[in-house]
Structures are given as C-alpha cells and as structure tokens.
Amino acid sequence: MTATTRPRQSWAGLWNISFGFFGIQIGFALQNANMSRIFQSLGTSLDDLPALWVAAPLTGLLVQPVIGHLSDRTWLGRLGRRRPYFLAGAILAAIALLLMPESPGLLMAALLLWLLDASLNVSMEPFRAFVGDMLDKDQHAAGYAVQTAFIGAGAVFGSIFPWLLEQLGVANVAAGGGIPDTVRFAFWFGGGALFLAVLWTVVTTREYSPAEMAGFHGEADAEDQAQVTRTLAARRLTGSGVWIAAGAIVVAGVAAFGLEKEVYLLGGLLIAYGLASILAILRARGGKPVDMLGHIVGDFGGMPVLMKRLAVAQFFSWSALFIMWINTTPIVAGAFYGAPDARSPLYQEGANWVDVLFATYNGIAAVAALTLLPLLAKRIGQARTHIVGLLCGAAGFASFFFVTDPEWLLASEIGIGIAWASILAMPYAILASSLPQRKLGIYMGLFNVFVVVPQLLVATVMGSITKHLFPTQPIWTLAFAAGALLLAALAMTRVEAVR
C-alpha cells in the first residue's frame, strides 16, 4: 500500500488541536500553586506535605502508560480515538476542582488531589499523541510548539488568578482560618475553564479513522501479537531480578542512611516493575495472549534506541526543573532579600517576587514556542534546537550566582523560559516523527516515566544532599540544576537530528 500524507493544518487547525491543553494547564497550575496552602489550612504540618504530594508523580506514573495503551486501541466512531479520554478526564478534573475548596477535612482534600491529578493525566497524555496523529512530520515541530505555548499561557493564568482576585477585592484570608475565597473562586473558575477549553478541542477537531491512519503509513496498523509474545518470551528472568534487587537496595538504604521516607516509594516501584515483568514473561512463555500488562512491560523494555537516548536527556532536564520548583522561593528570599525565616515580611515579599519570576519564564516559554523554536528547528533540526534550549537554561541557572539585584533575575528567567519551552516541545516532536504510529500513545505514556522518576529523586535525595552539604545556602542547588541541563544537552548530541 502506498502511503499518503495528512492534509496540512492551518494555524487555526493547530490552535484547535491544542487549545484544550490551555485548560488542562490551568488545572495543573492551580493544583501546584495552592494544594500545599489548602493542606496547611486544613491542619497538616509542613513535614507531612511531601507524603501528601506524592499523589502527583505516582498517579502520572501509573495512569499515563495505561491511558496511552488504551487510547491506541480505541475507536468510538464520531468521538474518535483520543478525544473520549480528553473529555472524560476533563469532566472528572472539573468536578475535583469544584469540590476541592469545599473539603471538610484533610482526608477529603487528599482524596480529591488523587482524583484531580489522575483526571488531569487522563486528559493530558492523549494530547501528546493527538498532535502526532493529526499532523505530518513536517508540522510536528509547529504542532508541539503551539501546544507548548498553550501550556505556558495556562500556567501563567492559573498561577496568578488568585492574586488577580485579591486585587479585585476578594478576601485572601478566611475568617477563622480555612480556605480563602481567592482560592475557592479560582478553583471554581478553573474547573469551568478547563472543561470548556477541552470541549473546544473535542468539538472543533475530527480524528482520522483507523483506515485513514493505515493509509497515511502505507501499512495496516494491526499489531503483530505473535511478535510481542516472542519478544517477551525471549527475555530473561534475571533482568527482572535486577529490578527487584535494585528496589530492595533502595528500601534498605532509606533506613541505613536516614533518607526521606518518601524514597520508599521509589524502591517499591522498582520492585513492582520487576514482579510485573516476571508475570508478563511467564504468561508469554505459557502461550497466553498478550494483555495490557504484557504490552506495557514489553514496550518499556523494547523502546527504540532513539527513545532511550531521548529518555536520558529527559531525565536530566526534569531533574533540573524540579530542583528549581522546590528551591527557588527559599533561594530568592534568603540570598536576595536576606530573609530565610518564613515568618519575616521580607520573606513573603521574596516569595511574591518568585511568583513574578515563574510567570515570566512561563510567558517567555509561550513566546519562544511560537517564534524561536520553529525557526531554529527548520534551520538546524529539532535535536540541535533542543541542545540550544537546554544550554540557555543552564546559563539562566548559573546567572543566579552573579546577580545581586533580584529584579535582574528577570533576565535569568529568559534562558530558563527558552529551556522550558524546548523541554515541552522538542522531545515530543522528535518522538512523534520517529515512533511507529500504532504505538504512539503507549510510548508517549512510557516517556512520562522519565519525568516522574526525577521528581521523586529530587524531592527526596536532593533534600538530603542539601541538609548535609549546604543547609543554609540552598542557592547551591541551582549549580546541580545547571549541571543537569548540561548533561541533558550532552545526551542530546547522541540523538539524530530531525529536520
């Protein structure tokens, strides 16, 4: 069969394909900026926050590969392949956002956080594959750039909305404690905005049928189950044992070295994957049909070489990002405002300035995604464009050591914003242009592993490093962040450039 090409999408088409991500990112921004505040308002202690927040990486790790696998195999007629998941996730996330500010206690808030994060992941994961479904290779960079622009715009809007409400006179402190009206109204508005934005994409787009997708690739997309079975059956159980042993070592290391208790989760995940791979291998050797677990285990172990190389860069990139998100407030308040004590008014002033810095890099990312990245990708290729973006981010982090006036940190955020745009766009554009279409959903979901694992490591191991090496100077964590982006750029030199 001769492959045909997809029709080129206009800018309006690119807008419609990714506009739903604007709403999804509003939901993520409200969650990231306010959940600790909600938990503390309901009575939790600062030390217990990491355990409550573990819902975010854990749900992403578990939900995205499953949704990717399912969406690859879904076709609901006019509703399509990916759009049923957009819509279902958006409805559940909107419900969670509406109910969250009304939580009567900590347990309800924690359960709603799990629902919210899982629902956002159900909507988000298929959006990554959706761009690859709808666009030919020559538009992948532009498609993911537009998606990144909406991510940046949604993050800015969701982050500053409670502050905007306060400027309009909405109470920022609840009488007698509890969740203030600024947060309450922001969550309600965010739930409506999320649902309407996703609904826009659902209504204004039409997915290509399985027959049309087969025509685009010149072959049927039916997966060779026998080949998957043979691949799993050929794998050695000793490899599964290595995963289990690694998890056991991590668990033992928590007690031996006094690491944060959340590191137990990482060890448990390693052990769980090892056990899952044993089960999948034994099923394949027994001649049983390959189920979802077998596909996930087989596809993770059988990732294409290009994806493995991209995964290394992704791991270091997101390590740097999580270092930034966790440490920027104490860094700015302590090093630039001279106020390490959170009870100090100057500390609160520094924390407010961090909100401005974060809004700045997200705004820069939105602009860079629509202007700089597509231009560079066309001229030097997607892989080299990503290297440039990562180096800009490393320079931005390094500049914190040379700036003395906190206002000049706005210049630092330019480099960080360019890196953020590139991290959100270029790896996915490269993957979409290189992976087999019938596995695009599952591979995009598995790629999320290299976003989640760095989060778990940074939130646990990095905290222990900071306590032991520079407990009163957290600015040195940004040296690790700059170094991580340099390592990511080095890893990208092994990824073949895509023009």
Side-chain angles (χ1 to χ4, degrees), residues 437-453:
Q437 185 66 46
R438 66 178 184 272
K439 289 180 174 286
L440 193 55
I442 179 63
Y443 277 139
M444 289 293 187
L446 291 171
F447 198 55
N448 187 61
V449 171
F450 304 99
V451 172
V452 174
V453 172

Side-chain angles (χ1 to χ4, degrees), residues 66-74 81-82 85 125-126 129 441-442:
V66 172
I67 295 300
H69 171 84
L70 294 176
S71 68
D72 282 340
R73 290 157 176 78
T74 296
R81 175 183 296 104
R82 315 290 182 187
Y85 298 93
E125 198 285 330
I442 179 63

Side-chain angles (χ1 to χ4, degrees), residues 178-488:
I179 300 169
D181 285 344
T182 50
V183 175
R184 190 184 309 274
F185 295 161
F187 269 61
W188 292 346
F189 179 88
L194 186 157
F195 175 74
L196 291 175
V198 172
L199 186 64
W200 178 280
T201 291
V202 171
V203 171
T204 60
T205 57
R206 183 191 72 83
E207 295 189 69
Y208 297 115
S209 69
E212 289 174 308
M213 294 296 287
F216 294 143
H217 297 279
E219 58 182 11
D221 277 343
E223 190 167 21
D224 185 357
Q225 297 279 345
Q227 178 59 44
V228 176
T229 301
R230 287 194 296 270
T231 301
L232 281 172
R235 291 178 59 175
R236 296 181 177 180
L237 291 176
T238 52
S240 303
V242 170
W243 288 100
I244 295 172
I249 291 172
V250 170
V251 170
V254 175
F257 298 101
L259 300 178
E260 304 292 336
K261 60 181 178 296
E262 287 77 23
V263 182
Y264 281 121
L265 175 62
L266 179 60
L269 290 172
L270 293 173
I271 293 172
Y273 177 76
L275 294 174
S277 63
I278 289 175
L279 178 60
I281 291 170
L282 292 178
R283 282 180 57 85
R285 289 181 179 179
K288 295 181 179 180
V290 180
D291 56 7
M292 181 171 64
L293 178 64
H295 281 293
I296 292 174
V297 170
D299 289 333
F300 185 76
M303 288 187 296
V305 173
L306 180 140
M307 184 174 172
K308 292 178 180 179
R309 293 177 178 177
L310 265 177
V312 176
Q314 192 81 333
F315 175 88
F316 287 116
S317 299
W318 283 86
S319 296
L321 291 172
F322 285 121
I323 289 172
M324 173 186 72
W325 290 331
I326 290 174
N327 295 290
T328 300
T329 295
I331 288 170
V332 171
F336 294 91
Y337 285 81
D341 187 350
R343 295 169 294 183
S344 165
L346 275 178
Y347 180 96
Q348 298 301 327
E349 184 178 344
N352 286 343
W353 186 242
V354 171
D355 290 339
V356 175
L357 295 178
F358 278 21
T360 298
Y361 87 73
N362 277 296
I364 291 294
V367 174
L370 291 177
T371 56
L372 178 63
L373 296 186
L375 178 64
L376 282 178
K378 187 176 181 180
R379 290 179 178 270
I380 64 175
Q382 295 167 357
R384 291 177 181 174
T385 296
H386 194 34
I387 292 173
V388 171
L390 294 170
L391 292 177
C392 287
F397 286 132
S399 68
F400 271 67
F401 292 91
F402 303 98
V403 172
T404 56
D405 186 338
E407 291 189 1
W408 280 98
L409 292 176
L410 290 171
S412 303
E413 299 301 320
I414 295 174
I416 295 171
I418 293 172
W420 176 229
S422 187
I423 290 167
L424 290 174
M426 289 300 107
Y428 297 98
I430 295 171
L431 282 179
S433 300
S434 308
L435 293 174
Q437 185 66 46
R438 66 178 184 272
K439 289 180 174 286
L440 193 55
I442 179 63
Y443 277 139
M444 289 293 187
L446 291 171
F447 198 55
N448 187 61
V449 171
F450 304 99
V451 172
V452 174
V453 172
Q455 180 178 356
L456 294 173
L457 288 175
V458 169
T460 54
V461 177
M462 192 70 211
S464 299
I465 292 174
T466 302
K467 288 179 183 178
H468 287 90
L469 296 183
F470 30 82
T472 61
Q473 293 182 306
I475 192 171
W476 288 103
T477 60
L478 292 187
F480 284 84
L485 287 187
L486 290 175
L487 290 173

Side-chain angles (χ1 to χ4, degrees), residues 162-188:
W163 176 85
L164 288 175
L165 290 174
E166 182 183 11
Q167 305 311 304
L168 294 174
V170 178
N172 194 43
V173 177
I179 300 169
D181 285 344
T182 50
V183 175
R184 190 184 309 274
F185 295 161
F187 269 61
W188 292 346

